[in-house]
């Protein structure tokens, strides 16, 4: 119950890794605001799963790749609870294709969806945290950022930006008592992974020392650790959760 009455904002918070993160914080007593873009059924499923937990989950439909959507999300959470303690930037998409055949739209869409929310949500979330001189921001990256994956130049570039963004913001926010870290997720069992070609998944899984795909809750547990007081001296780091690929 370390997160009892804490206010937690999770983008991409209703499916996959984001869903696991939202539920984990709610189990710890937090008031969670889970943002999503389109899937109303997943949002309702998350609300049903949260019934009876120590904390609460509210779902907010917002396009956090825009300033207006991110502002709405952050302001709604702050207005209901008075403050924001944790921000988890998890929203993102993939549009895999070899670079020589990649369309401009596939490049632009991935860069926009995976990087713009970082700017908008961190900008407005940071402003709420600055008033209390405390808070924790955790950004979700991918192992593709560190090892590269064929057919994912757009995705790898965007997730590499997450790591460098995290390290730079940590230097800005640290003096104000706000920690910023990243979690670099490996091959995790989600809908996004299910959309990948089987041979791609098999190759990456076999390349890990544990030889298996990861679970969303295994990523969520690291996010909760980084947000907790147990990680009070960890800032500007990218923690890899990949089953031993690197």
């Amino acid at each position: 119950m370390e997160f009892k009455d804490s206010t937690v904002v999770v983008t991409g918070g209703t499916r996959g890794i984001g869903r696991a993160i939202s539920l984990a914080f709610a189990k710890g007593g937090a008031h969670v605001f889970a943002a999503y873009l389109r899937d109303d059924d997943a949002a309702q499923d998350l609300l049903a799963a949260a019934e009876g937990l120590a904390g609460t989950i509210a779902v907010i439909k917002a396009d956090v790749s825009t300033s207006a959507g991110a502002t709405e999300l952050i302001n709604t959470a702050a207005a209901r609870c008075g403050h924001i303690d944790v921000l988890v930037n998890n929203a993102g998409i993939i549009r895999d294709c070899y670079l020589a055949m990649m369309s401009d739209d596939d490049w632009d869409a991935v860069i926009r969806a995976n990087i713009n929310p970082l700017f908008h949500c961190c900008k407005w979330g940071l402003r709420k945290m600055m008033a209390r001189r405390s808070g924790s921001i955790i950004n979700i990256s991918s192992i593709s950022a560190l090892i590269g994956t064929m057919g994912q130049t757009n995705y790898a570039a965007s997730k590499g930006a997450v790591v460098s963004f995290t390290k730079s913001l940590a230097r800005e926010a640290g003096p104000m008592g706000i920690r910023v870290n990243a979690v670099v997720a490996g091959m995790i069992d989600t809908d996004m992974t299910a959309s990948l070609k089987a041979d791609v998944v098999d190759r990456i899984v076999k390349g890990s020392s544990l030889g298996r795909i990861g679970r969303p809750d295994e990523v969520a547990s690291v996010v909760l650790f980084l947000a907790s007081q147990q990680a009070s001296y960890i800032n500007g780091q990218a923690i890899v959760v990949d089953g031993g690929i690197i």
Side-chain angles (χ1 to χ4, degrees):
M1 295 295 290
E2 179 173 354
F3 297 102
K4 187 177 187 301
D5 295 330
S6 294
T7 305
V8 178
V9 175
V10 184
T11 69
T14 62
R15 298 172 58 192
I17 292 173
R19 182 182 191 275
I21 293 169
S22 296
L23 288 171
F25 273 114
K27 289 176 183 176
H31 300 298
V32 179
F33 294 83
Y36 73 104
L37 184 58
R38 294 188 182 90
D39 195 336
D40 295 325
D41 289 340
Q44 292 305 311
D45 180 69
L46 175 64
L47 292 177
E51 292 181 6
L53 297 182
T56 63
I57 293 181
V59 294
I60 299 176
K61 195 172 188 177
D63 182 358
V64 293
S65 69
T66 68
S67 179
T71 303
E72 177 188 358
L73 170 65
I74 297 298
N75 285 345
T76 298
R80 292 187 191 178
C81 297
H83 56 89
I84 293 176
D85 300 289
V86 181
L87 168 63
V88 181
N89 288 295
N90 173 68
I93 65 171
I94 58 172
R95 287 195 183 179
D96 292 357
C97 184
Y98 287 114
L99 183 66
M101 283 81 77
M102 186 177 292
S103 69
D104 290 355
D105 183 61
D106 283 346
W107 174 269
D108 291 340
V110 169
I111 297 301
R112 181 175 61 252
N114 295 358
I115 298 180
N116 286 6
L118 278 178
F119 167 66
H120 293 303
C121 291
C122 284
K123 175 181 177 179
W124 297 109
L126 196 63
R127 290 185 178 188
K128 300 298 183 183
M129 294 176 178
M130 285 167 59
R132 292 161 58 92
R133 297 189 67 81
S134 69
S136 177
I137 297 173
I138 299 106
N139 302 318
I140 306 300
S141 182
S142 165
I143 196 63
S144 288
L146 305 184
I147 66 171
T149 303
M150 289 190 299
Q152 288 195 333
T153 50
N154 51 0
Y155 184 70
S158 70
K159 289 303 184 178
V162 172
V163 174
S164 54
F165 178 100
T166 295
K167 291 182 176 294
S168 293
L169 185 58
R171 291 188 178 275
E172 294 182 17
M176 295 181 284
I178 300 164
R179 296 182 298 107
V180 187
N181 292 289
V183 173
V184 181
M187 189 61 67
I188 308 298
D189 187 11
T190 65
D191 290 342
M192 183 181 287
T193 302
S195 69
L196 297 175
K197 292 182 178 179
D199 62 319
V200 173
V201 175
D202 188 58
R203 183 175 65 250
I204 294 175
V205 169
K206 286 182 177 178
S208 70
S209 57
L210 292 184
R212 66 170 177 85
I213 200 166
R215 303 189 309 272
D217 65 279
E218 292 177 307
V219 178
S221 64
V222 179
V223 172
L224 263 68
F225 165 70
L226 288 173
S228 75
Q229 284 304 304
Q230 297 176 68
S232 59
Y233 199 52
I234 300 177
N235 192 37
Q237 302 304 305
I239 308 300
V240 178
V241 185
D242 71 347
I245 294 174
I246 60 172

